Amino acid sequence: MDELPIGRRVAYWRGRRKMSQQVFADRLGKSKSWVDKVERGVRRLDKFSVLYEIAVILRIDVQLLLGKDPERRTDAFSCIDQVEVQEIRAALEQYASMTVYFDAVSYPPPLSDMRKAVTHAWLTYQYGRYGMLTRALPKLLREAQAADAGYGGEQGKEAAHLLGQVYQIASSVLRKLGECELAWLAADRSMAVAQRADDQLLAGVATARVCNALVAMGRARPALELNVSIANRLAPGGMNDSAPDRLSVYGMLLLQGAMAAARFGDSDTVEDLLHGAHEAALMLGSDQNHYWTSFGPTNLELHRAAAAVELGDGGRAVEIHQGIPEPSFNGLLPERRAHHLLDIARGYAQLGDIAKAGEMLLRGDRLAPSEIRCRPIAHEVMSDVLRRTRGALPAPIAELAEQMGVGV
Protein backbone atom coordinates (compact mmCIF):
# COMPACT_ATOMS: atom_id res chain seq x y z
CA MET A 1 0.00 0.00 0.00
CA ASP A 2 2.94 2.36 0.69
CA GLU A 3 3.86 2.48 -3.00
CA LEU A 4 0.36 3.56 -4.11
CA PRO A 5 -0.23 7.18 -5.19
CA ILE A 6 -2.00 9.24 -2.55
CA GLY A 7 -5.23 9.41 -4.58
CA ARG A 8 -5.36 5.62 -4.71
CA ARG A 9 -4.90 5.50 -0.93
CA VAL A 10 -7.86 7.84 -0.52
CA ALA A 11 -9.95 5.59 -2.77
CA TYR A 12 -8.84 2.50 -0.84
CA TRP A 13 -9.80 3.88 2.58
CA ARG A 14 -13.03 5.37 1.24
CA GLY A 15 -13.93 1.87 0.03
CA ARG A 16 -12.99 0.38 3.40
CA ARG A 17 -15.37 2.83 5.06
CA LYS A 18 -18.11 1.84 2.58
CA MET A 19 -18.61 5.42 1.40
CA SER A 20 -19.67 6.30 -2.13
CA GLN A 21 -17.80 9.11 -3.86
CA GLN A 22 -20.89 11.30 -3.44
CA VAL A 23 -21.20 10.70 0.31
CA PHE A 24 -17.48 11.28 0.78
CA ALA A 25 -17.64 14.46 -1.31
CA ASP A 26 -20.61 15.77 0.70
CA ARG A 27 -18.82 15.22 4.02
CA LEU A 28 -15.71 16.89 2.69
CA GLY A 29 -17.63 19.81 1.19
CA LYS A 30 -16.32 19.09 -2.31
CA SER A 31 -17.91 17.92 -5.55
CA LYS A 32 -18.05 14.30 -6.65
CA SER A 33 -15.99 15.30 -9.67
CA TRP A 34 -13.27 16.69 -7.39
CA VAL A 35 -13.09 13.40 -5.48
CA ASP A 36 -12.97 11.38 -8.69
CA LYS A 37 -10.09 13.46 -10.07
CA VAL A 38 -8.13 13.15 -6.81
CA GLU A 39 -8.57 9.39 -6.72
CA ARG A 40 -7.51 9.02 -10.36
CA GLY A 41 -4.46 11.22 -9.82
CA VAL A 42 -5.71 13.90 -12.23
CA ARG A 43 -5.84 16.46 -9.42
CA ARG A 44 -2.98 16.88 -6.95
CA LEU A 45 -3.64 16.61 -3.23
CA ASP A 46 -0.91 18.81 -1.81
CA LYS A 47 -2.64 20.89 0.88
CA PHE A 48 -1.98 19.47 4.33
CA SER A 49 -5.17 21.03 5.70
CA VAL A 50 -7.22 19.08 3.14
CA LEU A 51 -5.30 15.90 3.96
CA TYR A 52 -6.24 16.37 7.61
CA GLU A 53 -9.91 16.83 6.72
CA ILE A 54 -9.84 13.65 4.64
CA ALA A 55 -8.18 11.77 7.50
CA VAL A 56 -10.88 12.96 9.91
CA ILE A 57 -13.69 11.77 7.63
CA LEU A 58 -12.02 8.41 6.88
CA ARG A 59 -11.11 7.93 10.57
CA ILE A 60 -7.46 7.17 9.89
CA ASP A 61 -4.13 8.68 10.80
CA VAL A 62 -2.95 11.20 8.22
CA GLN A 63 0.33 9.29 8.08
CA LEU A 64 -1.48 6.44 6.34
CA LEU A 65 -2.53 8.78 3.55
CA LEU A 66 1.11 9.82 3.21
CA GLY A 67 2.25 6.20 2.98
CA LYS A 68 3.96 6.22 6.39
CA ASP A 69 3.46 4.23 9.56
CA PRO A 70 0.94 5.90 11.89
CA GLU A 71 2.35 7.42 15.04
CA ARG A 72 -0.81 6.83 17.06
CA ARG A 73 -3.79 4.53 16.94
CA THR A 74 -5.82 4.91 13.75
CA ASP A 75 -8.97 6.18 15.47
CA ALA A 76 -7.15 9.00 17.21
CA PHE A 77 -8.74 11.58 14.93
CA SER A 78 -12.12 10.89 16.46
CA CYS A 79 -11.60 10.84 20.22
CA ILE A 80 -9.10 11.40 23.01
CA ASP A 81 -6.83 8.91 24.77
CA GLN A 82 -5.15 9.02 28.15
CA VAL A 83 -1.82 10.07 26.65
CA GLU A 84 -3.50 13.18 25.29
CA VAL A 85 -5.34 13.78 28.58
CA GLN A 86 -2.04 13.71 30.48
CA GLU A 87 -0.39 16.04 27.96
CA ILE A 88 -3.22 18.55 28.36
CA ARG A 89 -3.12 18.16 32.13
CA ALA A 90 0.63 18.86 32.13
CA ALA A 91 0.09 21.98 30.01
CA LEU A 92 -2.66 23.21 32.33
CA GLU A 93 -0.35 22.71 35.30
CA GLN A 94 2.23 25.12 33.89
CA TYR A 95 2.66 28.38 35.81
CA ALA A 96 4.48 30.47 33.25
CA SER A 97 3.30 33.75 34.79
CA MET A 98 5.00 32.84 38.09
CA THR A 99 8.17 31.63 36.38
CA VAL A 100 8.53 34.90 34.48
CA TYR A 101 8.45 36.75 37.82
CA PHE A 102 11.92 35.32 38.42
CA ASP A 103 13.17 34.90 34.85
CA ALA A 104 11.61 36.84 31.97
CA VAL A 105 10.63 35.02 28.78
CA SER A 106 13.27 35.92 26.19
CA TYR A 107 11.31 35.25 23.02
CA PRO A 108 7.55 35.05 23.52
CA PRO A 109 5.59 33.80 20.48
CA PRO A 110 4.52 36.56 18.07
CA LEU A 111 0.98 37.70 18.80
CA SER A 112 0.09 37.60 15.11
CA ASP A 113 0.87 33.87 15.07
CA MET A 114 -1.09 33.35 18.28
CA ARG A 115 -4.17 35.09 16.84
CA LYS A 116 -4.19 32.76 13.85
CA ALA A 117 -3.64 29.68 16.01
CA VAL A 118 -6.46 30.59 18.40
CA THR A 119 -8.88 31.29 15.55
CA HIS A 120 -8.00 27.94 13.97
CA ALA A 121 -8.55 26.17 17.31
CA TRP A 122 -11.99 27.73 17.72
CA LEU A 123 -13.00 26.70 14.21
CA THR A 124 -11.67 23.19 14.80
CA TYR A 125 -13.90 22.99 17.87
CA GLN A 126 -16.95 24.47 16.17
CA TYR A 127 -16.56 22.03 13.29
CA GLY A 128 -16.56 19.17 15.80
CA ARG A 129 -13.02 17.91 15.12
CA TYR A 130 -12.22 17.06 18.71
CA GLY A 131 -9.43 14.54 18.11
CA MET A 132 -7.50 17.02 15.97
CA LEU A 133 -8.04 19.72 18.58
CA THR A 134 -6.95 17.67 21.61
CA ARG A 135 -3.69 16.81 19.91
CA ALA A 136 -2.99 20.48 19.17
CA LEU A 137 -4.01 21.79 22.60
CA PRO A 138 -0.88 21.04 24.69
CA LYS A 139 1.38 23.03 22.35
CA LEU A 140 -1.19 25.81 21.98
CA LEU A 141 -1.60 26.07 25.75
CA ARG A 142 2.16 26.30 26.32
CA GLU A 143 2.59 28.94 23.62
CA ALA A 144 -0.35 31.02 24.85
CA GLN A 145 1.00 30.84 28.41
CA ALA A 146 4.43 31.94 27.19
CA ALA A 147 2.90 34.87 25.31
CA ASP A 148 0.88 35.89 28.36
CA ALA A 149 4.02 35.79 30.49
CA GLY A 150 6.24 37.53 27.98
CA TYR A 151 4.33 40.66 27.00
CA GLY A 152 3.40 43.76 28.95
CA GLY A 153 1.21 46.83 28.48
CA GLU A 154 -1.41 46.68 25.73
CA GLN A 155 0.30 43.68 24.18
CA GLY A 156 0.06 42.00 27.56
CA LYS A 157 -3.70 42.54 27.59
CA GLU A 158 -4.03 41.00 24.14
CA ALA A 159 -1.86 38.04 25.15
CA ALA A 160 -4.03 37.51 28.23
CA HIS A 161 -7.14 37.67 26.04
CA LEU A 162 -5.73 34.99 23.75
CA LEU A 163 -4.72 32.76 26.67
CA GLY A 164 -8.21 33.16 28.14
CA GLN A 165 -9.69 31.95 24.87
CA VAL A 166 -7.35 28.94 24.74
CA TYR A 167 -8.41 27.96 28.27
CA GLN A 168 -12.05 28.25 27.17
CA ILE A 169 -11.44 26.06 24.12
CA ALA A 170 -9.73 23.47 26.30
CA SER A 171 -12.57 23.55 28.82
CA SER A 172 -15.23 23.15 26.14
CA VAL A 173 -13.67 20.14 24.41
CA LEU A 174 -12.63 18.43 27.66
CA ARG A 175 -16.19 18.68 28.97
CA LYS A 176 -17.53 17.17 25.75
CA LEU A 177 -15.18 14.23 26.14
CA GLY A 178 -16.09 13.56 29.77
CA GLU A 179 -12.97 15.05 31.42
CA CYS A 180 -15.05 17.26 33.69
CA GLU A 181 -12.51 18.13 36.39
CA LEU A 182 -9.93 19.22 33.84
CA ALA A 183 -12.67 21.17 32.07
CA TRP A 184 -13.43 22.99 35.30
CA LEU A 185 -9.73 23.74 35.89
CA ALA A 186 -9.30 25.21 32.41
CA ALA A 187 -12.49 27.28 32.74
CA ASP A 188 -11.47 28.54 36.17
CA ARG A 189 -8.12 29.64 34.74
CA SER A 190 -9.94 31.46 31.94
CA MET A 191 -11.88 33.57 34.46
CA ALA A 192 -8.70 34.79 36.16
CA VAL A 193 -6.98 35.57 32.86
CA ALA A 194 -10.05 37.44 31.56
CA GLN A 195 -9.70 39.89 34.43
CA ARG A 196 -6.09 40.59 33.44
CA ALA A 197 -7.28 41.10 29.86
CA ASP A 198 -9.66 43.76 31.19
CA ASP A 199 -12.56 42.44 29.12
CA GLN A 200 -15.89 41.98 30.87
CA LEU A 201 -17.41 40.10 27.96
CA LEU A 202 -14.53 37.62 27.87
CA ALA A 203 -15.08 37.18 31.61
CA GLY A 204 -18.76 36.57 30.94
CA VAL A 205 -18.03 33.80 28.44
CA ALA A 206 -15.48 32.34 30.87
CA THR A 207 -18.23 32.27 33.49
CA ALA A 208 -20.44 30.24 31.17
CA ARG A 209 -17.61 27.74 30.63
CA VAL A 210 -17.12 27.38 34.39
CA CYS A 211 -20.84 26.83 34.85
CA ASN A 212 -20.97 24.22 32.09
CA ALA A 213 -18.20 22.32 33.83
CA LEU A 214 -20.01 22.61 37.17
CA VAL A 215 -23.22 21.22 35.64
CA ALA A 216 -21.25 18.31 34.17
CA MET A 217 -19.87 17.63 37.65
CA GLY A 218 -23.36 17.57 39.17
CA ARG A 219 -23.23 21.11 40.59
CA ALA A 220 -26.15 22.62 38.69
CA ARG A 221 -27.48 24.95 41.42
CA PRO A 222 -24.27 26.95 41.96
CA ALA A 223 -23.89 27.02 38.18
CA LEU A 224 -27.34 28.59 37.82
CA GLU A 225 -26.62 31.21 40.49
CA LEU A 226 -23.28 32.20 38.93
CA ASN A 227 -24.68 32.40 35.40
CA VAL A 228 -27.58 34.62 36.46
CA SER A 229 -25.38 36.80 38.66
CA ILE A 230 -22.94 37.65 35.86
CA ALA A 231 -25.73 37.91 33.26
CA ASN A 232 -27.39 40.60 35.40
CA ARG A 233 -24.14 42.56 35.46
CA LEU A 234 -23.72 42.37 31.69
CA ALA A 235 -27.38 42.98 30.78
CA PRO A 236 -27.87 45.72 28.15
CA GLY A 237 -29.41 48.94 29.42
CA GLY A 238 -28.41 51.52 31.97
CA MET A 239 -24.65 52.03 31.77
CA ASN A 240 -24.29 49.02 29.46
CA ASP A 241 -24.59 49.30 25.69
CA SER A 242 -26.68 47.01 23.48
CA ALA A 243 -23.90 46.10 21.05
CA PRO A 244 -24.13 42.71 19.31
CA ASP A 245 -21.19 41.26 21.24
CA ARG A 246 -22.75 42.17 24.60
CA LEU A 247 -26.15 40.80 23.56
CA SER A 248 -24.47 37.55 22.49
CA VAL A 249 -22.57 37.01 25.73
CA TYR A 250 -25.57 38.04 27.85
CA GLY A 251 -27.84 35.71 25.90
CA MET A 252 -25.37 32.84 26.17
CA LEU A 253 -25.25 33.23 29.97
CA LEU A 254 -29.05 33.10 30.16
CA LEU A 255 -29.16 29.99 27.96
CA GLN A 256 -26.59 28.19 30.09
CA GLY A 257 -28.47 29.24 33.20
CA ALA A 258 -31.64 27.74 31.71
CA MET A 259 -29.80 24.46 31.05
CA ALA A 260 -28.53 24.40 34.63
CA ALA A 261 -32.06 25.00 35.97
CA ALA A 262 -33.42 22.25 33.72
CA ARG A 263 -30.89 19.83 35.16
CA PHE A 264 -32.61 19.94 38.55
CA GLY A 265 -36.16 20.33 37.23
CA ASP A 266 -36.88 24.03 37.84
CA SER A 267 -39.16 24.58 34.84
CA ASP A 268 -40.30 28.05 35.93
CA THR A 269 -36.73 29.36 36.05
CA VAL A 270 -36.03 27.69 32.71
CA GLU A 271 -38.90 29.60 31.11
CA ASP A 272 -37.88 32.91 32.71
CA LEU A 273 -34.31 32.63 31.46
CA LEU A 274 -35.33 31.47 28.00
CA HIS A 275 -37.68 34.46 27.79
CA GLY A 276 -34.81 36.81 28.61
CA ALA A 277 -32.61 35.10 26.04
CA HIS A 278 -35.43 35.40 23.50
CA GLU A 279 -35.55 39.17 23.97
CA ALA A 280 -31.77 39.39 23.51
CA ALA A 281 -32.00 37.25 20.36
CA LEU A 282 -34.70 39.51 18.94
CA MET A 283 -32.50 42.55 19.55
CA LEU A 284 -29.57 40.77 17.87
CA GLY A 285 -31.75 39.82 14.90
CA SER A 286 -29.82 36.84 13.54
CA ASP A 287 -27.49 34.04 14.61
CA GLN A 288 -24.00 35.43 15.02
CA ASN A 289 -20.73 34.22 16.51
CA HIS A 290 -19.45 37.06 18.66
CA TYR A 291 -16.95 35.75 21.22
CA TRP A 292 -17.52 32.33 19.61
CA THR A 293 -20.96 32.05 21.25
CA SER A 294 -23.06 31.14 18.17
CA PHE A 295 -25.87 33.03 19.88
CA GLY A 296 -29.02 34.03 18.04
CA PRO A 297 -32.68 33.09 17.42
CA THR A 298 -31.96 29.61 16.03
CA ASN A 299 -29.48 28.65 18.73
CA LEU A 300 -32.08 29.81 21.24
CA GLU A 301 -34.51 27.23 19.85
CA LEU A 302 -31.82 24.54 20.07
CA HIS A 303 -31.41 25.32 23.77
CA ARG A 304 -35.18 25.41 24.25
CA ALA A 305 -35.34 21.87 22.86
CA ALA A 306 -32.35 20.76 24.95
CA ALA A 307 -33.95 22.12 28.12
CA ALA A 308 -37.16 20.23 27.31
CA VAL A 309 -35.13 17.01 27.05
CA GLU A 310 -33.47 17.69 30.41
CA LEU A 311 -36.93 18.22 31.90
CA GLY A 312 -38.03 14.86 30.47
CA ASP A 313 -40.41 16.31 27.88
CA GLY A 314 -39.20 14.61 24.71
CA GLY A 315 -42.44 15.44 22.89
CA ARG A 316 -41.93 19.15 23.41
CA ALA A 317 -38.30 18.86 22.26
CA VAL A 318 -39.32 17.10 19.04
CA GLU A 319 -42.06 19.70 18.42
CA ILE A 320 -39.51 22.52 18.76
CA HIS A 321 -37.09 20.68 16.49
CA GLN A 322 -39.70 20.25 13.78
CA GLY A 323 -40.52 23.96 13.91
CA ILE A 324 -36.96 25.16 13.25
CA PRO A 325 -36.65 26.41 9.65
CA GLU A 326 -34.22 24.19 7.76
CA PRO A 327 -32.23 27.08 6.19
CA SER A 328 -31.68 28.61 9.64
CA PHE A 329 -30.61 25.28 11.10
CA ASN A 330 -28.25 24.55 8.20
CA GLY A 331 -26.67 27.96 8.70
CA LEU A 332 -25.31 26.93 12.10
CA LEU A 333 -21.87 25.42 12.52
CA PRO A 334 -21.53 21.60 12.54
CA GLU A 335 -20.92 21.25 16.29
CA ARG A 336 -24.15 23.11 17.11
CA ARG A 337 -26.21 21.07 14.66
CA ALA A 338 -24.77 17.70 15.68
CA HIS A 339 -25.17 18.57 19.36
CA HIS A 340 -28.81 19.42 18.73
CA LEU A 341 -29.43 16.17 16.84
CA LEU A 342 -27.99 14.27 19.80
CA ASP A 343 -30.43 16.11 22.07
CA ILE A 344 -33.31 15.23 19.74
CA ALA A 345 -32.17 11.60 19.69
CA ARG A 346 -32.59 11.67 23.47
CA GLY A 347 -36.02 13.26 23.02
CA TYR A 348 -37.18 10.54 20.64
CA ALA A 349 -35.84 7.90 23.02
CA GLN A 350 -37.95 9.46 25.80
CA LEU A 351 -40.97 9.08 23.51
CA GLY A 352 -40.10 5.46 22.77
CA ASP A 353 -39.44 6.14 19.08
CA ILE A 354 -36.18 4.24 18.92
CA ALA A 355 -35.99 4.23 15.12
CA LYS A 356 -36.10 8.04 15.04
CA ALA A 357 -33.56 8.24 17.87
CA GLY A 358 -31.20 6.14 15.80
CA GLU A 359 -31.86 8.28 12.74
CA MET A 360 -30.88 11.42 14.67
CA LEU A 361 -27.61 9.80 15.79
CA LEU A 362 -26.81 8.92 12.19
CA ARG A 363 -27.57 12.47 11.01
CA GLY A 364 -25.38 13.91 13.76
CA ASP A 365 -22.58 11.53 12.85
CA ARG A 366 -22.66 12.69 9.25
CA LEU A 367 -22.27 16.30 10.39
CA ALA A 368 -19.63 15.96 13.11
CA PRO A 369 -18.57 12.36 13.85
CA SER A 370 -16.71 13.24 17.05
CA GLU A 371 -19.85 14.77 18.59
CA ILE A 372 -21.56 11.36 18.36
CA ARG A 373 -18.68 8.91 18.64
CA CYS A 374 -16.76 10.54 21.47
CA ARG A 375 -19.32 11.94 23.90
CA PRO A 376 -20.34 9.73 26.84
CA ILE A 377 -23.99 10.88 26.58
CA ALA A 378 -24.08 9.76 22.93
CA HIS A 379 -22.82 6.32 23.99
CA GLU A 380 -25.66 6.15 26.52
CA VAL A 381 -28.22 6.97 23.84
CA MET A 382 -26.76 4.40 21.45
CA SER A 383 -26.82 1.75 24.20
CA ASP A 384 -30.48 2.57 24.78
CA VAL A 385 -31.21 2.29 21.05
CA LEU A 386 -29.49 -1.10 20.83
CA ARG A 387 -31.23 -2.43 23.92
CA ARG A 388 -34.72 -1.36 22.86
CA THR A 389 -34.60 -2.18 19.15
CA ARG A 390 -36.80 -5.15 18.32
CA GLY A 391 -35.58 -7.53 15.66
CA ALA A 392 -32.48 -7.02 13.54
CA LEU A 393 -30.64 -3.74 13.86
CA PRO A 394 -30.63 -1.53 10.76
CA ALA A 395 -27.22 -1.91 9.15
CA PRO A 396 -26.22 1.80 9.49
CA ILE A 397 -27.01 1.75 13.22
CA ALA A 398 -25.08 -1.49 13.71
CA GLU A 399 -22.09 -0.03 11.89
CA LEU A 400 -22.16 3.21 13.87
CA ALA A 401 -22.47 1.31 17.16
CA GLU A 402 -19.44 -0.78 16.20
CA GLN A 403 -17.45 2.33 15.31
CA MET A 404 -18.41 3.87 18.65
CA GLY A 405 -17.45 0.70 20.50
CA VAL A 406 -20.94 0.38 21.97
CA GLY A 407 -22.52 -3.03 22.55
CA VAL A 408 -25.90 -4.12 23.87
Side-chain angles (χ1 to χ4, degrees), residues 283-313:
M283 293 174 68
L284 191 61
S286 62
D287 293 280
Q288 300 178 29
N289 203 17
H290 298 286
Y291 281 79
W292 306 97
T293 58
S294 294
F295 181 73
T298 310
N299 201 6
L300 166 68
E301 293 306 303
L302 268 55
H303 280 80
R304 196 185 299 279
V309 172
E310 289 294 337
L311 291 168
D313 192 349

Side-chain angles (χ1 to χ4, degrees), residues 235-274:
M239 297 294 291
N240 292 335
D241 60 40
S242 298
D245 52 358
R246 180 179 296 276
L247 287 168
S248 298
V249 175
Y250 169 68
M252 180 191 188
L253 284 162
L254 294 180
L255 291 180
Q256 299 311 319
M259 294 307 301
R263 184 60 65 94
F264 57 85
D266 187 347
S267 58
D268 289 340
T269 298
V270 169
E271 286 304 313
D272 286 345
L273 294 176
L274 287 176

Side-chain angles (χ1 to χ4, degrees), residues 17-146:
R17 298 303 182 226
K18 295 181 173 59
M19 282 187 214
S20 67
Q21 283 189 338
Q22 186 63 63
V23 169
F24 181 60
D26 290 344
R27 294 189 183 185
L28 191 59
K30 302 286 187 181
S31 68
K32 182 181 176 182
S33 172
W34 185 93
V35 171
D36 182 67
K37 289 177 181 177
V38 165
E39 294 185 348
R40 290 190 291 113
V42 175
R43 187 183 185 101
R44 293 181 62 187
L45 194 56
D46 51 10
K47 284 190 177 180
F48 208 59
S49 59
V50 177
L51 279 172
Y52 264 111
E53 286 191 77
I54 290 173
V56 170
I57 293 166
L58 296 177
R59 306 188 309 280
I60 62 173
D61 195 297
V62 74
Q63 300 298 319
L64 288 174
L65 289 178
L66 296 171
K68 302 176 183 178
D69 290 332
E71 298 175 358
R72 309 195 78 120
R73 70 188 195 280
T74 57
D75 66 341
F77 274 87
S78 294
C79 299
I80 191 170
D81 63 22
Q82 286 306 304
V83 172
E84 291 156 1
V85 170
Q86 292 308 317
E87 288 176 352
I88 294 171
R89 184 188 302 277
L92 286 171
E93 290 172 349
Q94 294 288 319
Y95 287 88
S97 59
M98 181 56 71
T99 303
V100 76
Y101 178 73
F102 298 98
D103 187 13
V105 175
S106 301
Y107 301 102
L111 290 180
S112 59
D113 291 350
M114 289 305 308
R115 286 186 218 107
K116 293 176 184 176
V118 172
T119 297
H120 183 265
W122 272 121
L123 290 172
T124 303
Y125 172 76
Q126 292 193 325
Y127 275 82
R129 295 164 183 169
Y130 305 148
M132 186 185 298
L133 179 57
T134 55
R135 275 185 302 284
L137 266 176
K139 181 175 183 288
L140 182 58
L141 281 162
R142 289 191 296 269
E143 290 180 345
Q145 289 163 342

